[in-house]
Amino acid sequence: LAKTTQPISMDSYEGQEVNITCSHNNIATNDYITWYQQFPSQGPRFIIQGYKTKVTNEVASLFIPADRKSSTLSLPRVSLSDTAVYYCLVGDRAGTALIFGKGTTLSVSS
Amino acid sequence: EADIYQTPRYLVIGTGKKITLECSQTMGHDKMYWYQQDPGMELHLIHYSYGVNSTEKGDLSSESTVSRIRTEHFPLTLESARPSHTSQYLCASSVYSGRGNEQFFGPGTRLTVL
């Protein structure tokens, strides 16, 4: 299973755009990139998944360059409620067990 | 919202007791998972199942065992609890949807072994 590397923490202010980058140098051809969000004392929650180029949904965008060795989660106009841990995962689309890693703790201030 | 349930939510027990953490989902998902997470730390996959009668160990060695006799039920058992088992245990199930392969997590069981 491909390993991922993310920054341990990031700080931002309300209303700003936040970009969290994840490295996954050993990503396999059939691997997808998925991001989860976790609040304290809760289980993680799915944010977005992609394979290449750009994916956008109602809460975030995911940018994946052509070599797929990294990806960037973009959160537009963050609010205090976006303070959480964000995990980047790499794995196949069949749901093969995923490795969560340490995640990035995002702190949003007013 | 996904329907995945874990009981109990909190459990405090003494060393040497046998315990079973329950996890059920009503979505008919084939794939289910157990994770262990200490406060402020990363999630570790300890068991997973791809369907009935299928169980595999995850990346973190665990003294717990699991069973998958029914699609909706994935209990985790500790034969003899120890203080080192104190942690939060999260159960999840997954399905492929239009958004991709998505894991749905239960609320977790916070276990304390004295």
Side-chain angles (χ1 to χ4, degrees):
Chain A
L1 292 169
K3 284 203 162 220
T4 61
T5 303
Q6 307 172 231
I8 295 297
S9 63
M10 294 182 69
D11 297 313
S12 183
Y13 291 97
E14 284 188 292
Q16 289 189 331
E17 177 185 75
V18 171
N19 296 308
I20 307 174
T21 297
C22 177
S23 297
H24 26 80
N25 292 319
N26 297 324
I27 190 168
T29 302
N30 60 344
D31 281 345
Y32 283 72
I33 300 146
T34 311
W35 286 79
Y36 282 81
Q37 175 192 56
Q38 185 180 27
F39 297 112
S41 300
Q42 294 183 25
R45 185 176 67 175
F46 177 96
I47 300 174
I48 197 167
Q49 184 178 86
Y51 184 81
K52 62 180 180 181
T53 62
K54 177 183 175 182
V55 179
T56 297
N57 63 22
E58 63 277 8
V59 298
S61 294
L62 178 60
F63 299 92
I64 305 167
D67 66 5
R68 303 198 330 119
K69 293 184 183 299
S70 67
S71 60
T72 299
L73 174 73
S74 181
L75 304 172
R77 299 182 60 78
V78 295
S79 64
L80 296 176
S81 62
D82 292 317
T83 293
V85 179
Y86 292 82
Y87 296 95
C88 165
L89 289 79
V90 172
D92 68 39
R93 212 172 206 184
T96 304
L98 302 171
I99 306 300
F100 270 78
K102 297 184 186 299
T104 297
T105 299
L106 172 65
S107 298
V108 181
S109 303
S110 57
Chain B
E1 286 296 319
D3 295 324
I4 180 162
Y5 309 98
Q6 290 186 244
T7 56
R9 293 291 312 279
Y10 303 91
L11 180 61
V12 180
I13 60 168
T15 297
K17 300 291 186 183
K18 177 180 178 178
I19 60 168
T20 296
L21 307 184
E22 302 288 349
C23 176
S24 297
Q25 49 98 3
T26 59
M27 300 167 285
H29 295 170
D30 286 327
K31 299 177 179 67
M32 296 189 73
Y33 316 81
W34 275 104
Y35 293 86
Q36 184 176 341
Q37 185 178 36
D38 294 327
M41 304 297 285
E42 62 192 281
L43 285 89
H44 290 288
L45 179 69
I46 52 176
H47 297 284
Y48 58 98
S49 168
Y50 290 158
V52 172
N53 295 324
S54 154
T55 61
E56 301 287 344
K57 288 188 179 294
D59 64 313
L60 179 68
S61 176
S62 174
E63 294 166 344
S64 59
T65 59
V66 292
S67 63
R68 190 85 184 278
I69 299 172
R70 303 195 319 263
T71 297
E72 62 271 22
H73 195 212
F74 191 40
L76 180 146
T77 298
L78 278 166
E79 291 292 334
S80 180
R82 296 207 305 269
S84 61
H85 296 139
T86 295
S87 189
Q88 169 147 308
Y89 293 84
L90 289 159
C91 179
S93 67
S94 74
V95 68
Y96 177 75
S97 69
R99 305 203 297 172
N101 190 280
E102 180 174 353
Q103 287 194 344
F104 298 91
F105 283 80
T109 294
R110 187 167 297 281
L111 173 65
T112 302
V113 184
L114 304 175

